Amino acid sequence: MGAGEKSGSLVSPSLFVMPVYPEQVFSMTERIITTTLAERDLQYEIPLRPATLRDFIGQKKVKDRLEISIGAAKMRKEPLEHMLFSGPPGLGKTTLANIVAKEIGANIKTTSGPAIEKAGDLAGLLTSLEEGDILFIDEIHRLNHVVEEYLYPAMEDFVLDIVIDKGPGARSVRLNLARFTLIGATTRSGLLTSPLRSRFGIANRLDYYEAGDIDQVVKRSARILNVQIDAAGSVEIAKRSRGTPRIANCLLRRVRDYAQIKADSEITEAVADQALTMFDVDEFGLDEMDKKIIHTILHKFNGGPVGVNTIATAVGEEVGTIEEVYEPYLIQQGYVKRTPSGRKTTPLAVQHFGGSKEPKGAGELF
């Protein structure tokens, strides 16, 4: 958006190719931008994802609310209200969106905030939806603000207002949309604008999983992958998974590889410990970067306070990655705390890492 444009303006001249006729707008459906999971996710994660609410482990409050909303909508034979899932990465936001679509019996189209670059992309998506369809937008907080404003009438009144032509001949055309459900997912709900957040009738936040729930996730995934694992081995993987199913499944696959080569394909507590130690995941679930961050604050800056930008520079990582990926778990587990003057370590971090040596690479920026 140029410096002279206002965020509240409906259309930027660059949003549509002019001139265009109303019937041509529908040709934009051929330009739907749909993002797919990385090849790694497609190959490994999708087979492990539950397909129904009954199979979904953990997040009981969220599941109870969804069961009521889905059941009521099916009884009234109406589309679901617009829905927002928020929470750290890897907790099941995308999985729940697909489960909702299956439970309600609706088609789902998937995209992401960064993929919708201009209003024409959004128009193509919205005009392709049929009655009751679900549009899932991952990382919705990264939507272009001009594009976001097109969502407001679409979400509230199921219409899309576009401007055709430029100059004296410009005119507005209103397109009626099928009643659809928008499901948004975000890892940073604080970056959502208030007007967008207020248009979601159902908002659910996913929290880190309890150890028992993660243990169930590991056992379920092991059955799907046909992995031999005993109860103690499952617990060992679960307690190092940071309360995140995605990480649990990733660690399970790494331990499976180790067991296949070193332990006749059977995962026990000892095998899991040896494998995860080799992959730099300690008994507290902290990986190499977690320990770098704690060591940096504790030893290089005397326990803090120190700014996150300084920490990022010291460990050679992006600020956003530290704030979104590493810091939430470190704060939740009580190793780091935020203060008005910066990040500080806690007595727990001093107890566990006060005398530890600098992790490999902690002082290397290049």
Side-chain angles (χ1 to χ4, degrees), residues 181-237:
T181 298
L182 174 65
I183 299 182
T186 176
T187 54
R188 305 189 69 181
S189 57
L191 296 184
L192 285 176
T193 62
S194 295
L196 181 59
R197 188 187 299 111
S198 66
R199 284 170 168 81
F200 287 100
I202 304 171
N204 290 299
R205 175 169 179 82
L206 278 64
D207 295 316
Y208 288 107
Y209 286 58
E210 299 291 336
D213 290 335
I214 290 294
D215 183 39
Q216 293 183 49
V217 170
V218 173
K219 289 176 179 175
R220 177 183 177 274
S221 298
R223 288 194 300 270
I224 295 173
L225 295 173
N226 197 26
V227 174
Q228 297 181 43
I229 185 170
D230 63 19
S234 176
V235 169
E236 187 67 22
I237 294 174

Side-chain angles (χ1 to χ4, degrees), residues 4 53 155 284:
L53 282 175
M155 294 175 70
F284 307 115

Side-chain angles (χ1 to χ4, degrees), residues 31-233:
R31 301 179 58 246
I32 296 173
I33 296 179
T34 302
T35 60
T36 59
L37 293 172
E39 194 69 28
R40 169 182 61 84
D41 295 333
L42 284 171
Q43 185 177 357
Y44 299 115
E45 290 188 8
I46 287 182
L48 302 180
R49 290 182 174 180
T52 65
L53 282 175
R54 178 178 297 180
D55 294 334
F56 191 92
I57 297 170
Q59 308 294 343
K60 185 178 185 305
K61 289 183 178 180
V62 174
K63 287 198 302 182
D64 290 345
R65 295 169 189 160
L66 289 177
E67 285 177 351
I68 292 175
S69 299
I70 292 170
K74 291 172 73 173
M75 289 179 65
R76 294 193 303 265
K77 297 182 180 180
E78 295 177 353
L80 280 167
E81 287 190 76
H82 303 303
M83 194 176 298
L84 178 68
F85 292 119
S86 62
L91 299 187
K93 297 184 290 295
T94 300
T95 299
L96 280 174
N98 284 278
I99 287 176
V100 168
K102 185 170 184 179
E103 296 277 0
I104 203 73
N107 295 320
I108 183 170
K109 293 183 182 294
T110 302
T111 186
S112 68
I116 307 175
E117 297 180 347
K118 49 186 182 294
D121 301 329
L122 179 64
L125 283 165
L126 294 177
T127 55
S128 70
L129 297 174
E130 299 179 359
E131 188 76 14
D133 281 359
I134 291 176
L135 175 61
F136 174 60
I137 303 180
D138 197 13
E139 297 301 310
I140 195 170
H141 65 272
R142 296 177 63 187
L143 271 177
N144 180 297
H145 289 306
V146 174
V147 173
E148 180 182 309
E149 290 178 6
Y150 274 84
L151 269 180
Y152 299 160
M155 294 175 70
E156 287 189 319
D157 304 318
F158 301 101
V159 296
L160 184 64
D161 294 314
I162 65 170
V163 174
I164 294 191
D165 240 327
K166 293 189 293 185
R171 62 190 187 281
S172 177
V173 174
R174 170 163 287 194
L175 301 176
N176 293 319
L177 303 172
R179 291 181 62 85
F180 70 96
T181 298
L182 174 65
I183 299 182
T186 176
T187 54
R188 305 189 69 181
S189 57
L191 296 184
L192 285 176
T193 62
S194 295
L196 181 59
R197 188 187 299 111
S198 66
R199 284 170 168 81
F200 287 100
I202 304 171
N204 290 299
R205 175 169 179 82
L206 278 64
D207 295 316
Y208 288 107
Y209 286 58
E210 299 291 336
D213 290 335
I214 290 294
D215 183 39
Q216 293 183 49
V217 170
V218 173
K219 289 176 179 175
R220 177 183 177 274
S221 298
R223 288 194 300 270
I224 295 173
L225 295 173
N226 197 26
V227 174
Q228 297 181 43
I229 185 170
D230 63 19

